[in-house]
Amino acid sequence: MPWIEHTSGQNWRVRYRRIDGTVASEGGFTSTKSARARAHEIEADQHRNTFYDRSRGHITLNTWLPRWQATLNIDEVTLENYQYLIGTHIRPRFGTCPLGDIHASDIGQWSTDLHAGHEHSTVEGVVSLLGRILGDAVEDGLLPASPVHHHHNRGKRAFRIPH
């Protein structure tokens, strides 16, 4: 069962036990009311087995990638292609970011920036690969959901159909 603790001044934190028995905390609450509300959320989520420990998303993409690549069962050409796309496009932008700090808006802006110098199919392939990487992080419990969303029919038409 989660509990709250006064840290200093008007600051509170919520403490809770993880499945492995270790104690974790979430801080930054400015009132007992908000800390208690979060403690109740955590407790309810733990009972429903839907609780996501936010500290798990602190692993960076660079740290996650070797673990992810070890799980792949793909041919050598595909693996080389993945390594090229990761090294050229994904690592430079998101490599040092904690997984939990990668947001859909960041990916959307990055995708827009990539479109400025690359073919649409290349950008779609890179974004799709990032989606696979982050999707597997979700399955490993490192993220609650993937921030990669494939939106269809959201941009300008590439051509006009004459009437």
Side-chain angles (χ1 to χ4, degrees), residues 57-66 85-114 123 125-134 137 143 146-149:
H58 290 162
I59 181 176
T60 65
L61 185 67
N62 282 338
T63 304
W64 168 242
L65 282 170
L85 294 174
I86 290 168
T88 305
H89 301 291
I90 296 173
R91 274 189 199 267
R93 173 58 183 90
F94 297 109
T96 59
C97 294
L99 295 178
D101 290 348
I102 300 173
H103 303 286
S105 58
D106 299 328
I107 294 167
Q109 183 61 54
W110 173 65
S111 172
T112 300
D113 294 345
L114 286 176
V123 175
V126 173
V127 173
S128 179
L129 176 57
L130 180 60
R132 180 173 180 182
I133 293 166
L134 296 178
L143 290 172
S146 176
V148 177
H149 303 289

Side-chain angles (χ1 to χ4, degrees), residues 63-83:
T63 304
W64 168 242
L65 282 170
R67 289 175 45 194
W68 173 77
Q69 286 176 325
T71 67
L72 297 178
N73 185 16
I74 53 179
D75 64 57
E76 194 170 314
V77 173
T78 303
L79 182 60
E80 288 174 6
N81 186 36
Y82 280 10
Q83 289 171 338

